[in-house]
Amino acid sequence: MFEAFQIIEHRTVEIFRLYIKLTSPVPGKGGKFVPVAETPHYQFIKNRIVGSPVQPMHGYMSYSHYNTRNQHHLDEHGFEKLLNSIMTNGYDESEGRPLVIKRRNLSFSPSWNVLDGSHRISILAARGDTHVMVAVVRFRKNIIRRGIERIGSAIKDKRKILLSNYRLTIKNSFEKTSK
């Protein structure tokens, strides 16, 4: 997935300007980007750090509920291990900075959609950090080029199907006439 992007800069951003994508709890509904503090990730970690109650967020009752629906690679146990590592050893950004892409908005203050690193960012936010160093990325190809490539790929697929059907028709016709 990330080969479609290229890193254009590293910068420090305010955590409250970061948005994490949540898949809808309703199948087939897609998802939306929400502020870090409105995610089940953040609620789970905030509960572990300060014991605050877990609040339902965007249709999810808990991180476990979110994880069940999304089958994420980091279950509660793995998330707690990451939390303990960061709390004990500190956050080591040299192990990989969160990847973000600029949000399209009309505001003069930029905000960012998180593509990778939502668990790390949630931990930093819950422990009170206000800034994080991120890698800002952009698509390697612009939206028009990506659209043209998708259309071209769809045309090639359709052509293959048509050719295959044509060959089958010819073969069937030949078999009927040779009998």
Side-chain angles (χ1 to χ4, degrees), residues 164-179:
S164 176
N165 289 344
Y166 176 74
R167 288 183 185 130
L168 225 114
T169 304
I170 298 288
K171 182 181 174 189
N172 289 341
S173 301
F174 180 74
E175 288 173 354
K176 286 180 183 176
T177 57
S178 60
K179 289 183 181 180

Side-chain angles (χ1 to χ4, degrees), residues 125-136:
R127 75 176 193 174
D129 292 26
T130 57
H131 293 77
V132 63
M133 179 66 78
V134 298
V136 179

Side-chain angles (χ1 to χ4, degrees), residues 117-144:
S118 57
H119 293 88
R120 291 171 281 163
I121 290 168
S122 296
I123 291 170
L124 297 176
R127 75 176 193 174
D129 292 26
T130 57
H131 293 77
V132 63
M133 179 66 78
V134 298
V136 179
V137 300
R138 70 173 177 205
F139 285 103
R140 289 189 187 279
K141 299 173 186 164
N142 71 29
I143 193 165
I144 294 169

Side-chain angles (χ1 to χ4, degrees), residues 16-147:
F16 81 90
R17 295 195 185 281
L18 297 173
Y19 290 74
I20 294 174
K21 185 171 186 180
L22 290 184
T23 307
S24 172
V26 179
K29 270 272 203 169
K32 63 181 174 181
F33 284 91
V34 300
V36 174
E38 293 181 20
T39 64
H41 309 66
Y42 176 83
Q43 289 289 313
F44 175 77
I45 293 300
K46 194 73 172 171
N47 172 266
R48 294 303 190 268
I49 292 175
V50 296
S52 62
V54 175
Q55 302 292 322
M57 289 284 162
H58 299 281
Y60 291 105
M61 299 310 292
S62 64
Y63 179 72
S64 178
H65 180 220
Y66 174 81
N67 227 13
T68 301
R69 167 78 172 90
N70 293 285
Q71 300 170 347
H72 195 277
H73 71 279
L74 201 59
D75 62 8
E76 286 186 3
H77 178 70
F79 203 179
E80 285 181 0
K81 280 178 65 174
L82 179 61
L83 168 65
N84 292 335
S85 173
I86 290 175
M87 296 301 277
T88 303
N89 306 316
Y91 173 62
D92 184 3
E93 67 184 38
S94 69
E95 290 182 16
R97 294 183 175 145
L99 297 178
V100 300
I101 194 164
K102 191 171 185 177
R103 289 173 61 89
R104 296 176 193 268
N105 62 13
L106 301 175
S107 140
F108 292 107
S109 301
S111 57
W112 313 89
N113 286 340
V114 177
L115 302 176
D116 183 51
S118 57
H119 293 88
R120 291 171 281 163
I121 290 168
S122 296
I123 291 170
L124 297 176
R127 75 176 193 174
D129 292 26
T130 57
H131 293 77
V132 63
M133 179 66 78
V134 298
V136 179
V137 300
R138 70 173 177 205
F139 285 103
R140 289 189 187 279
K141 299 173 186 164
N142 71 29
I143 193 165
I144 294 169
R145 183 175 217 153
R146 290 192 319 268

